[in-house]
Amino acid sequence: MGNNQIDTARDSEAVRVEEGGAALNNGGLPESSDMYNITVRNCDLYYGDFQALKSVSIDIEEREVTALIGPSGCGKSTFIKTLNRMNDLVEGCRITGEILIGGRDIYAKSTDVTLLRKNAGMVFQKPNPFPMSIYDNIAFAPRTFGIKKKIELDVIVESSLKHAGLWLEVKDRLKKNAMGLSGGQQQRLCIARALAADPKILLMDEPTSALDPISTGRIEELINELKTEYTIVIVTHNMQQATRISDKTAFFLLGEIIEYGTTESIFSMPKDKRTENYITGRFG
């Protein structure tokens, strides 16, 4: 693909963005579970005439947590949405450059966008459970992709809720409406929903910003547990959170990656003065 322009409107048919996924077994993407590293080269993104991302290049390793930090409006959320092509749904959005998962071009015409979004699951800033039972929230994606037997769905629901640290709290009220859960429980439910179809990549856009400190702590513990199985990319404004949970950190400013490296080096020995100014609170 190189620097050829990608018209992200070309596949903007109404595809439901389900937050989770199974192995990408077709659509030109890798089958191997060991190939979920992310490579981005010279990515530029435009909303009409406005350039939101400027020549972004980054290598995101599998089974690590990569934190994206930077002031509001710097391109973090825009960037994370390029990784499962959610920006396809934005009219007038166009991208140039190269975005690869496991060495495969996710913007190639052969890519099955539904499977991509299914596999690279998204957890949003505010919990967004479906207005249905806890059980049906978790079973939604497996049912969508063909799993109908109750015994199989039961196993997936229990496993996903256990992975999200929520099973013991809700196992006796699976048929109750998910909207009755607390905010922290709803967010863990959304994570469980993302896990229900066995994704390899989790994209998290400020998943704890609307939560209290106790719920935030539980989500952070969960992220630390999940990174042994998943590639996790998280947008956060909480720099203490980045130091607690991430292996690598990228500092975004005005649509560019200013600095990227191990979290320890970014926070203890930043190479760029702008990074130092941001993490010490001098701006942002």
Side-chain angles (χ1 to χ4, degrees), residues 1-6 39-46 51 53-59 79 94-100 255 257:
M1 180 173 59
N3 289 320
N4 293 333
Q5 186 181 100
I6 306 165
T39 302
V40 180
R41 292 289 179 268
N42 302 315
C43 177
D44 295 311
L45 183 145
Y46 301 83
Q51 186 171 3
L53 295 177
K54 303 171 184 176
S55 194
V56 170
S57 295
I58 189 171
D59 293 307
F79 172 72
R94 59 189 177 90
I95 300 174
T96 63
E98 191 170 56
I99 301 176
L100 311 176
I257 292 182

Side-chain angles (χ1 to χ4, degrees), residues 21-66:
L24 297 176
N25 51 18
N26 60 28
L29 292 174
E31 294 183 16
S32 170
S33 61
D34 297 323
M35 294 180 65
Y36 287 90
N37 57 306
I38 300 167
T39 302
V40 180
R41 292 289 179 268
N42 302 315
C43 177
D44 295 311
L45 183 145
Y46 301 83
Y47 295 124
D49 295 330
F50 174 71
Q51 186 171 3
L53 295 177
K54 303 171 184 176
S55 194
V56 170
S57 295
I58 189 171
D59 293 307
I60 297 173
E61 298 298 324
E62 63 183 357
R63 296 186 179 90
E64 287 188 348
V65 177
T66 299

